[in-house]
Amino acid sequence: TMSASARSVLVFGANTDVGKTLCSIGLLAAAARRRGAERVAYLKPVQTGLTTDASAVRRYARNVTADCLFGYATPVSPHLAVQLEDDDDDTG
């Protein structure tokens, strides 16, 4: 259940290596310090490539819950990773 004071922040950035994860870590760390015992969470809907942003968030932003809904090993845009990896699994 979300409290009336619950807030969401979305971090957007085009392309890779533009600093989305680093920016997120800074925002999360600040929120965790400010909110104290209240829950601060990071959720990445889709991760491509072998490095996981959620693990970096857990490492550098203390007291933050971090998770990723879908992960693909191929380091390309999510729509291409789905197509490529679904083709690999296709037995038809």
Side-chain angles (χ1 to χ4, degrees), residues 7-86:
R7 292 192 170 104
S8 296
V9 176
L10 302 174
V11 176
F12 293 94
N15 298 321
T16 58
D17 295 328
V18 296
K20 297 179 296 285
T21 303
L22 185 58
C23 179
S24 296
I25 289 170
L27 290 169
L28 290 160
R33 280 192 307 272
R34 183 174 181 172
R35 297 183 84 62
E38 290 185 52
R39 183 175 178 193
V40 176
Y42 169 88
L43 179 64
K44 182 161 186 166
V46 180
Q47 171 76 50
T48 62
L50 296 176
T51 304
T52 63
D53 292 350
S55 63
V57 168
R58 282 190 293 272
R59 181 174 180 183
Y60 295 109
R62 306 279 186 229
N63 301 317
V64 171
T65 302
D67 203 3
C68 179
L69 297 179
F70 300 96
Y72 300 93
T74 308
V76 295
S77 64
H79 74 285
L80 290 176
V82 169
Q83 290 174 356
L84 292 170
E85 293 189 25
D86 281 350

